[in-house]
């Protein structure tokens, strides 16, 4: 069966430039024709069944003409069947000609009804009424214009009267004939009127659906545009945050560094003005971002129990110096027993700071601000009342709207961008509370914050899923909003002056090496500032983007990467992912610098593999502290690796001492005898043979050691043959294997893996040495390879690992040996080495007793 034809395939084209009414009419015509195709299919089946039902009647009433009627019946039923097949097989053809096809086909069917009348008694035959079957049936299944319905009815009736006109069929009882003719003509007329109203109703209904669909489409397009605009707005805020925070970093960080070292005086006061205004700008940026998140439903609350009275006291306490400078009396009072209140302490601090800061902004010198905390059974109310100019009733309806300002002239007395109260209201409502104002002109204003008791009223969609926050929230809101007061006098400034921070502690890595830090930042000034800041303590490489950073790593392997998030070509997130996916670089810590210091930015960074992130603008000492902490952890990691290598070196030294000392003594003794002229009991040839044999044994030991430790530095990723690695390790441990330990070797592969040679051989040494130390009588070494992995399995029949400590055997510093016999680092570092090579090291209990360790690493072709 063919698919449903489209409008263009059926001969219709609907242009987007057409008038909506013309377009709707054309689409309605298309839909009407498609319905008629289905109606014709059904009508054909009904007509064929109806003709078949008349067969018994024809046998009884018109037996003389039965054979001819049955032949015609079969012919017409076959014709109807062929028509039905054509409709199903060629729907495109049927759709284009449907009205004509219906007209001709059922006009042809009506002839059968006419024959029944003519073969019976003529025009007074009751079979005249069967014509109604055709007229009603067609107009029931088919929808077409009234003119087409009238034409079909007249055509059917004309064929019916044609034998009368030529005198072939007689007229019997004239009364019955007239009755039949009236019924036929009346039915035809009714059907014409029916089709007219039917078409009007169908057209009206289609137009309504078309308008609804068009309206829905327009709404969907508008919604899509709104979503796109909202996405663009979110991207804009993210980008503008990054672009503004970067220059703020270059203002705040150097100013903070200077304030920490400069003494009281005009220079310090000027720097404090710079710092204060930079903080004001940062506060506005953060408020705008908070509003954007609230609007997009992206702001989440970290809800926990809050001591609201303590929080209000903290906000008021931070506001006291600014109030004193403006000569404003700031009072705090509380009444009632505190109730259980929940909320996001940081967001509530923003609300309270906004309200107190707003009151201070409009309260003149010598005025008063009363802050009252009222605890009630259903919740807690915080009232902030000032003695300012008040707010008119008209303005009260607008003050909580975004970007609305009471003073709109160019001669405004107060600053601000009109988002503080809007943000406070929306944060209060996000907590399920309310914020209102009561004021009269000339009588001050009272803002009232109400928070409900408990936490059942919080909307689950507004809650941050990662909980856990303390009351030590960031102080930017307190300092920024209330630092707009005039600068304090010299004494107060001296009292508030930050103490100078001691010089940065130097961190040294393995062998006293100075750490190398790679800084990736696309903003030239900020990159230069960070390089200058860090180069006093570390070796610093600088890159303008992630792509340059990756190139620099090929020349100098860094110990830490400090990168901006938003950079051209390769972003900081891409850089972090690339490092963490490279086994040879995955241990390098990555610190992200981001202008988005919220949970989403942190989560995105950690998912990319970053170890830490620092929000812009940052304090230079905070950045130094974060870097120092990660370098200390890296230094400790390198020390642990060195300890493990020393433990392995001890094992190797024991083997060398045993394997080299005996042949060396033999060679020395033989050489001494030769030096003194030889021996009367042993020929010089035999003595020389002893020397040569001893030196050969020493050469074999040294060769085994060289094969085990190659390359010398041990850090480069090189092809390592697993069979060679196992054999060289067995040679080095040969002195331990001579005490009754049987080694069973099953080598099914001679493949290679891509790994640091010394580290890879160290894993094999650790596994074999563990089996030997377990006092096992038998050790099994199995090498096998699948399509993807090479497996090295070392098993023994020793005591195995106790079940209660199996889960700890790979933990650092954990050992089952007696105290003083092991560092507890061998298995831990062995697993880490396997993982760095893209593989895994696991423990399995050996059937029959003992232990079995399996290391699986990607085969050489996959690892490369």
């Amino acid at each position: 069966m063919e698919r449903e034809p489209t409008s263009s395939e059926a001969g219709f084209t609907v242009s987007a430039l057409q008038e909506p009414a013309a377009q709707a009419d054309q689409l309605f015509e298309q839909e009407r024709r498609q319905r008629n195709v289905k109606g014709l299919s059904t009508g054909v089946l009904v007509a064929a069944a109806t003709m078949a039902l008349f067969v018994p009647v024809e046998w009884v009433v018109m037996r003389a003409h039965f054979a001819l009627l049955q032949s015609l019946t079969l012919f017409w039923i076959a014709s109807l069947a062929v028509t039905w097949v054509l409709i199903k097989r060629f729907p495109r053809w049927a759709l284009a000609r449907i009205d004509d096809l219906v007209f001709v086909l059922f006009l042809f069917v009506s002839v059968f009804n006419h024959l029944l009348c003519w073969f019976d008694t003529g025009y007074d035959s009751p079979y005249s009424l069967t014509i109604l079957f055709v007229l009603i049936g067609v107009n029931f299944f088919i929808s077409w214009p009234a003119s087409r319905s009238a034409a079909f009815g007249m055509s059917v009736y004309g064929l019916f009267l044609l034998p009368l006109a030529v005198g072939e069929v007689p007229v019997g009882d004239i009364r019955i004939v007239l009755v039949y003719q009236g019924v036929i003509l009346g039915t035809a007329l009714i059907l014409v009127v029916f089709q007219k109203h039917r078409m009007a109703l169908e057209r009206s209904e289609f137009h309504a659906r078309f308008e609804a669909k068009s309206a829905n489409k327009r709404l969907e397009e508008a919604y899509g545009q709104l979503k796109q605009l909202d996405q663009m707005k979110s991207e804009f805020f993210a980008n503008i945050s990054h672009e503004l925070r970067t220059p703020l970093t270059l203002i705040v960080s150097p100013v903070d560094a200077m304030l920490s070292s400069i003494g009281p005086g005009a220079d310090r006061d000027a720097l404090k003005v710079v710092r204060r205004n930079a903080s004001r700008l940062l506060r506005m940026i953060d408020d705008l971002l908070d509003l954007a998140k609230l609007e997009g439903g992206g702001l989440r609350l970290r809800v926990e129990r809050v001591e609201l009275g303590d929080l209000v006291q903290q906000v008021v306490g931070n506001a006291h110096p600014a109030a004193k400078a403006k000569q404003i009396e700031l009072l705090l009072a509380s009444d009632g027993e505190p109730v259980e209140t929940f909320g996001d302490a940081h967001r509530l601090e923003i609300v309270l700071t906004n309200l107190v800061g707003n009151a201070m902004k409009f309260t003149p010198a010598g005025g008063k601000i009363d802050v009252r905390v009222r605890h009630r059974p259903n919740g807690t109310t915080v009232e902030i009342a000032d003695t300012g100019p008040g707010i008119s009733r008209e303005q009260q309806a607008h003050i909580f709207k975004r970007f609305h300002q009471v003073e709109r002239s160019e001669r405004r007395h107060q600053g601000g961008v009109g988002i503080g109260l809007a943000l406070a209201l929306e944060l209060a409502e996000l907590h399920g509370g309310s914020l209102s104002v009561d004021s009269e002109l000339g009588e001050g204003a009272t803002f009232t914050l109400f928070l409900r008791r408990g936490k059942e009223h919080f909307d689950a969609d507004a809650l941050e899923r990662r909980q856990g926050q303390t009351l030590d929230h960031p102080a930017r809101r307190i300092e920024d909003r209330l630092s707009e007061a005039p600068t304090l006098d010299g004494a107060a400034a001296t009292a508030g002056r930050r103490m100078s921070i001691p010089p940065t502690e130097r961190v040294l890595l393995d062998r006293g090496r100075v750490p190398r830090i790679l800084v990736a930042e696309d903003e030239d000034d900020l990159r230069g500032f960070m390089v200058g800041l860090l180069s006093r303590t570390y070796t610093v490489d600088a890159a303008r983007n992630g792509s340059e950073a990756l190139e620099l790593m090929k020349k100098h392997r860094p110990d830490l990467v400090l990168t901006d998030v938003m950079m051209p070509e390769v972003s900081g997130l891409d850089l972090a992912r690339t490092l963490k996916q490279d086994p040879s670089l995955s241990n390098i810590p990555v610190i992200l610098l981001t202008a988005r210091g919220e949970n989403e930015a942190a989560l995105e960074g950690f998912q990319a593999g970053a170890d830490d992130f620092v929000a812009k603008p940052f304090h230079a000492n905070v950045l130094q502290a974060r870097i120092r902490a990660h370098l200390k952890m890296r230094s400790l990691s390198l020390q642990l690796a060195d300890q493990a290598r020393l433990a392995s070196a001890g094992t190797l030294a024991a083997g060398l001492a045993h394997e080299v000392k005996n042949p060396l003594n033999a060679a020395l003794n033989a050489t001494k005898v030769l030096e003194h002229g030889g021996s009367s009991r042993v020929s010089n040839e035999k003595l020389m043979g002893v020397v040569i044999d001893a030196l050969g044994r020493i050469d074999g030991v040294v060769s085994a050691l060289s094969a085990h430790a190659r390359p010398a530095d041990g850090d480069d990723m090189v092809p390592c043959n697993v069979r060679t690695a196992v054999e060289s390790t067995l040679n080095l441990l040969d002195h331990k294997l001579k005490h009754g330990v049987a080694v069973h070797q099953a080598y099914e592969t001679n493949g290679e893996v891509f790994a640091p040679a010394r580290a890879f051989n160290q894993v094999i040494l650790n596994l074999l040495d563990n089996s030997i130390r377990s006092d096992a009588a038998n050790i099994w070494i199995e090498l096998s390879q699948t399509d993807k992995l090479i497996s090295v399995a070392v098993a023994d029949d020793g005591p195995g690992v106790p079940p209660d400590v199996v889960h700890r055997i790979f933990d650092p510093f954990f050992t089952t040996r007696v105290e003083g016999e092991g560092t507890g680092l061998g298995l831990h570092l062995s697993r880490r080495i396997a993982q760095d090579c893209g593989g895994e090291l696991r423990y399995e209990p050996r059937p029959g007793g003992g232990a079995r360790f399996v290391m699986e690493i990607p085969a050489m072709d996959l690892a490369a």
Side-chain angles (χ1 to χ4, degrees):
M1 186 180 297
E2 286 191 356
R3 59 180 175 82
E4 190 74 16
T6 63
S7 59
S8 59
E9 293 170 334
F12 297 97
T13 57
V14 181
S15 172
L17 300 177
Q18 285 182 302
E19 291 293 330
Q23 183 180 358
D25 287 337
Q26 194 165 355
L27 290 173
F28 168 73
E29 181 66 15
Q30 174 193 346
E31 184 182 83
R32 183 188 69 80
R33 286 172 175 257
Q34 289 172 342
R35 288 201 309 269
N36 284 350
V37 169
K38 296 178 181 178
L40 177 59
S41 300
T42 306
V44 163
L45 297 176
V46 172
T50 304
M51 295 174 71
L53 289 175
F54 271 86
V55 172
V57 178
E58 294 159 9
W59 170 257
V60 175
V61 178
M62 296 176 225
R63 188 170 299 181
H65 304 287
F66 184 76
L68 176 60
L69 288 173
Q70 299 319 305
S71 299
L72 293 173
T73 299
L74 291 175
F75 174 74
W76 277 317
I77 290 177
S79 299
L80 293 173
V82 169
T83 302
W84 186 84
V85 170
L86 290 175
I87 293 171
K88 295 297 182 181
R89 184 67 182 84
F90 303 105
R92 188 183 310 168
W93 170 82
L95 183 64
R97 301 167 180 81
I98 186 63
D99 288 346
D100 295 334
L101 191 61
V102 170
F103 196 103
V104 174
L105 181 65
F106 281 92
L107 187 64
F108 177 67
V109 170
S110 71
V111 173
F112 180 80
N113 300 75
H114 300 337
L115 288 175
L116 291 177
C117 298
W118 301 335
F119 289 160
D120 187 23
T121 59
Y123 287 99
D124 59 350
S125 170
Y127 283 107
S128 299
L129 297 178
T130 60
I131 298 175
L132 300 179
F133 291 163
V134 177
L135 295 175
I136 295 174
V138 169
N139 284 281
F140 178 80
F141 290 113
I142 302 300
S143 170
W144 50 14
S147 58
R148 177 67 70 116
S149 177
F152 178 76
M154 291 302 99
S155 299
V156 170
Y157 190 66
L159 283 176
F160 178 65
L161 293 180
L162 183 62
L164 178 63
V166 298
E168 294 296 328
V169 177
V171 176
D173 189 338
I174 190 62
R175 292 178 301 173
I176 295 175
V177 171
L178 292 175
V179 170
Y180 288 164
Q181 305 311 306
V183 172
I184 294 172
L185 290 173
T187 301
L189 179 60
I190 291 173
L191 291 173
V192 169
V193 176
F194 165 75
Q195 284 290 2
K196 181 178 181 180
H197 287 284
R198 176 180 180 178
M199 284 287 289
L201 289 173
E202 287 181 350
R203 189 183 301 275
S204 176
E205 184 269 341
F206 180 84
H207 274 263
R209 285 191 289 113
F210 179 78
E211 286 298 326
K213 187 179 294 184
S214 298
N216 286 337
K217 185 177 181 180
R218 289 193 297 269
L219 287 174
E220 288 177 0
E221 290 175 353
Y223 178 68
Q225 290 176 354
L226 285 175
K227 286 184 65 176
Q228 185 178 5
L229 287 174
D230 186 65
Q231 178 66 25
M232 291 173 63
K233 182 190 68 177
S234 299
E235 293 176 359
F236 166 76
F237 275 114
N239 291 334
I240 201 66
S241 171
H242 175 270
E243 295 302 325
L244 292 177
R245 284 176 178 267
T246 297
L248 275 174
T249 300
L250 289 170
I251 297 173
V252 174
S253 296
V255 169
D256 281 341
M258 295 174 69
L259 282 173
S260 66
S261 59
I262 194 172
D267 290 342
R268 180 179 177 82
D269 291 340
L271 286 174
K272 290 181 67 177
V273 171
V274 173
R275 180 63 170 87
R276 183 163 56 250
N277 282 278
S279 297
R280 288 180 61 194
L281 181 56
L282 176 61
R283 179 255 299 173
M284 293 177 188
I285 294 170
D286 290 327
D287 282 350
L288 284 170
L289 290 176
D290 285 345
L291 276 179
K293 287 184 179 180
L294 278 168
E295 187 178 72
L299 190 64
R300 298 290 184 266
L301 300 177
R302 290 187 173 185
V303 174
E304 61 183 3
R305 184 166 182 174
V306 177
E307 297 297 335
L308 195 57
D310 294 344
L311 186 58
V312 174
Q313 186 176 8
Q314 178 183 340
V315 171
V316 172
N318 284 316
H320 263 298
K324 183 179 179 182
K326 288 190 67 174
Q327 299 178 353
I328 295 174
E329 185 179 7
L330 181 58
L331 303 175
L332 173 63
S334 177
D335 63 77
E337 288 295 323
V339 297
E340 192 176 49
T341 305
F342 287 83
D344 187 323
H346 173 51
R347 305 296 178 185
L348 290 177
E349 178 191 353
I350 294 174
V351 175
L352 294 169
T353 303
N354 265 319
L355 296 177
V356 174
N358 187 72
M360 290 186 59
K361 184 188 297 184
F362 290 97
T363 302
K368 184 173 72 170
I369 299 175
D370 281 317
V371 180
R372 293 183 291 272
V373 181
R374 303 183 188 275
H375 300 289
R376 297 293 182 263
N378 63 331
T380 301
T381 298
V382 182
E383 299 175 356
I384 295 96
D386 62 61
T387 58
I391 308 170
S392 67
R393 293 293 179 184
E394 179 185 356
Q395 290 290 346
Q396 288 179 36
H398 303 286
I399 60 172
F400 291 113
K401 293 181 179 179
R402 298 178 180 183
F403 310 110
H404 175 81
Q405 294 170 319
V406 176
E407 296 179 310
R408 289 185 173 273
S409 72
E410 65 275 11
R411 297 182 179 87
R412 292 191 296 139
H413 293 88
Q414 306 298 336
V417 292
I419 59 177
L421 291 178
L423 178 61
L425 174 64
E426 296 192 40
L427 287 176
E429 292 177 344
L430 196 63
H431 279 78
S434 63
L435 179 60
S436 59
V437 62
D438 182 24
S439 178
E440 295 287 346
L441 279 175
E443 297 183 8
T446 300
F447 286 84
T448 302
L449 170 67
F450 173 71
L451 296 176
R452 296 163 61 182
R453 180 176 184 170
K455 58 181 177 180
E456 292 75 15
H457 54 276
F458 283 96
D459 186 350
D461 293 335
L463 300 183
E464 171 62 55
R465 290 168 177 80
R466 296 174 300 279
Q467 297 295 324
Q469 178 170 315
T470 67
L471 284 178
D472 298 329
H473 8 278
R476 66 169 177 87
R477 301 289 181 176
I478 299 294
E479 290 182 358
D480 299 348
R481 296 169 189 266
L482 301 179
S483 63
E484 299 177 15
T487 306
L488 304 181
D489 57 26
T494 302
R497 178 163 55 94
R498 292 184 177 90
M499 297 299 293
S500 296
I501 299 175
T504 302
E505 176 187 350
R506 179 177 289 273
V507 178
L508 298 178
L509 300 181
D510 49 319
R511 297 179 292 278
R513 179 171 58 86
V514 175
R516 179 181 290 274
I517 296 178
L518 175 59
V519 176
E521 167 62 57
D522 62 317
E523 211 285 326
D524 295 339
D525 290 338
L526 183 56
R527 184 176 65 252
F529 170 74
M530 289 191 293
V531 170
L533 179 70
L534 299 176
S535 59
R536 305 170 189 169
T537 313
Y538 311 106
T539 301
V540 182
D541 295 322
R544 290 175 295 182
N545 52 54
S547 179
E548 277 193 15
L550 292 173
E551 290 298 321
L552 280 174
M553 285 184 201
K554 297 177 182 179
K555 300 178 181 179
H556 305 291
R557 180 189 178 99
D559 297 295
L560 182 141
V561 174
L562 179 64
T563 176
D564 188 19
V565 171
M566 300 177 66
M567 295 186 297
E569 297 184 30
V570 177
S571 71
L573 296 177
D574 294 334
L575 178 59
R577 292 189 191 97
T578 302
L579 291 182
K580 297 306 178 180
Q581 290 171 1
D582 187 336
S584 65
L585 302 174
S586 60
N587 291 327
I588 298 175
V590 177
I591 300 179
L592 294 178
L593 291 173
T594 174
R596 299 159 55 208
E598 297 294 334
N599 296 321
E600 294 82 359
L603 181 61
E604 188 179 13
F606 290 138
Q607 286 176 340
D611 299 273
D612 202 352
F613 78 101
V614 176
K616 296 179 182 179
F618 54 81
H619 194 289
N621 292 324
V622 172
L623 179 64
Q624 294 261 31
R626 296 283 184 88
I627 292 174
R628 191 164 55 252
H630 284 283
L631 289 176
K632 282 185 175 180
M633 287 189 288
R634 180 160 176 78
S635 176
L636 178 60
S637 175
L638 293 173
Q639 291 177 21
L640 295 179
D642 284 343
Q643 287 187 24
R645 288 180 182 136
L646 288 174
S648 299
T651 301
L652 296 177
L656 289 174
H658 183 275
E659 294 297 325
V660 175
K661 186 175 181 180
N662 289 337
L664 183 60
N665 286 335
L668 287 173
N669 291 333
T671 303
K672 289 179 180 179
V673 173
L674 288 172
E675 184 182 8
H676 291 86
S679 170
S680 59
R681 291 177 297 174
V682 181
S683 67
N684 290 343
E685 289 79 4
K686 287 187 176 181
L687 290 175
M688 187 59 65
V690 169
V691 173
I692 294 173
D693 179 65
L695 293 177
R697 289 172 60 189
I698 293 173
D699 179 66
V701 173
V702 172
S703 297
L705 178 62
S706 175
H708 185 83
R710 189 179 62 245
D713 58 10
D715 290 331
D716 295 332
M717 302 286 283
V718 295
C720 298
N721 184 280
V722 290
R723 184 166 183 171
T724 301
V726 171
E727 290 294 335
S728 65
T729 304
L730 286 173
N731 289 335
L732 291 174
L733 296 174
D734 184 63
H735 64 287
K736 291 189 174 184
L737 296 172
K738 292 179 180 178
H739 304 295
V741 181
V743 178
H744 310 275
Q745 296 156 274
Y747 299 160
E748 299 178 5
T749 181
N750 195 34
E752 294 182 335
V753 297
F754 198 59
R758 185 174 64 183
F760 178 72
N761 290 333
Q762 180 182 332
V763 175
I764 298 175
L765 178 68
N766 288 340
L767 297 180
L768 288 172
D769 188 53
N770 279 347
S771 293
I772 295 171
R773 288 174 180 267
S774 69
D775 295 328
N778 293 277
I779 296 176
W780 291 268
I781 304 174
E782 302 170 10
L783 303 181
S784 60
Q785 181 173 355
T786 64
D787 292 338
K788 298 180 179 180
L789 297 172
I790 288 182
S791 173
V792 180
V794 177
D796 61 66
D797 56 0
V801 180
D804 57 331
V805 298
V806 165
H807 65 286
R808 298 186 58 196
I809 59 174
F810 291 105
D811 291 347
F813 305 110
F814 177 79
T815 179
T816 56
R817 300 177 189 170
V818 297
E819 186 175 357
E821 288 192 6
T823 63
L825 292 171
L827 289 177
H828 168 69
L829 290 176
S830 294
R831 168 177 273 190
R832 197 180 75 179
I833 292 168
Q835 291 173 342
D836 288 347
C837 296
E840 184 56 78
L841 174 64
R842 65 178 182 272
Y843 165 79
E844 299 174 352
R846 178 181 170 273
R852 186 172 188 264
F853 288 88
V854 180
M855 176 173 60
E856 292 180 338
I857 295 181
M860 178 63 193
D861 54 342
L862 295 174

